[in-house]
Amino acid sequence: MVIFKTGISKKERIKILGIVTEFTDIYRDFYLTKNNLRLFIRYNLDILFKDLRKGDKIAYDENGVGLVVGYSDKAKRKYIKLLAKDAKSADRLIKVILWNEKIDLWAKIKRNSIFKSVLEKNNFRFEANRGKEILLVRRAKKEYKNDSYKNKNKEFNSR
C-alpha cells in the first residue's frame, strides 16, 4: 500500500532511509535543488526530512519513493521526484500523487529514463528541452485549479 503524506515520524524515517539506500538512482534524477545546487537526496536525507516538515509531500511503499517538492520553499512550480524499483512501482506512486495533488506538476528527467514513459502515460507532456534532460508538465484541470471556473461556467450556461 502506498502511503501519501506531509511530514513523517521517526519510524517512517527509518523506512525511507532503507528505501532510498536500497535502490540506485541510475539516472541521477532524485535530487533537491537549493541555492541553484543539486543535492542528491540519498546523501542529504536531513534536508528532505526538514522540507517534509515544511510542507513537501511524500508517497512511498517498499518499492519506491515519490516526492512533490516546492511547497517548503514556496516555489511557483511543484516538481515530482521519483526513485523506484521499476516502472510499474513508479506508476503506482505517480497515480497516488496525482489522486491527491490537483495542481500543475513538473518533472525534469533524463531523456533515457525509464520513468519518462510512465510520466507520459499519466498525461505529462513535453514542455522544454534541457540538454540531457527534458522538462515535462501535467497541467491541473481547470475545475480543480480554480473553483471560480465552475461558477463562471454555470453562469455562462444559464444565460
Side-chain angles (χ1 to χ4, degrees), residues 21-86:
T21 55
E22 180 180 347
F23 300 117
T24 306
D25 182 16
I26 299 168
Y27 302 102
R28 300 182 53 84
D29 288 330
F30 197 60
Y31 63 86
L32 300 170
T33 304
K34 300 288 180 190
N35 299 322
N36 292 328
L37 293 173
R38 285 188 180 184
L39 303 172
F40 292 95
I41 295 170
R42 169 178 255 163
Y43 308 111
N44 295 283
L45 284 167
D46 56 326
I47 295 171
L48 170 65
F49 297 145
K50 186 171 81 174
D51 287 352
L52 286 171
R53 281 193 309 270
K54 288 182 178 180
D56 286 350
K57 300 178 182 186
I58 187 168
Y60 71 93
D61 66 7
E62 65 278 352
N63 295 314
V65 175
L67 301 171
V68 180
V69 298
Y71 287 104
S72 62
D73 53 1
K74 297 174 182 58
K76 288 186 220 174
R77 292 182 179 174
K78 309 304 183 235
Y79 282 90
I80 286 186
K81 300 294 180 178
L82 293 170
L83 180 66
K85 179 170 106 175
D86 53 26

Side-chain angles (χ1 to χ4, degrees), residues 143-158:
E143 59 266 22
Y144 295 140
K145 195 173 182 182
N146 186 355
D147 288 336
S148 64
Y149 173 80
K150 286 182 186 177
N151 296 333
K152 287 178 186 176
N153 247 358
K154 287 178 186 174
E155 290 172 19
F156 180 76
N157 291 333
S158 65

Side-chain angles (χ1 to χ4, degrees), residues 4 57 66-71 75-82 93-108 119 122-127 135-141 145:
F4 181 81
K57 300 178 182 186
L67 301 171
V68 180
V69 298
Y71 287 104
K76 288 186 220 174
R77 292 182 179 174
K78 309 304 183 235
Y79 282 90
I80 286 186
K81 300 294 180 178
L82 293 170
L93 292 168
I94 290 170
K95 286 190 183 332
V96 169
I97 290 169
L98 295 177
W99 178 261
N100 288 286
E101 292 294 300
K102 309 296 187 206
I103 59 171
D104 291 351
L105 290 170
W106 301 78
K108 189 187 294 185
L119 289 163
N122 284 286
N123 295 320
F124 279 79
R125 300 292 173 239
F126 177 85
E127 181 73 13
L135 183 64
L136 302 172
V137 63
R138 183 180 192 273
R139 301 280 182 196
K141 292 182 180 179
K145 195 173 182 182

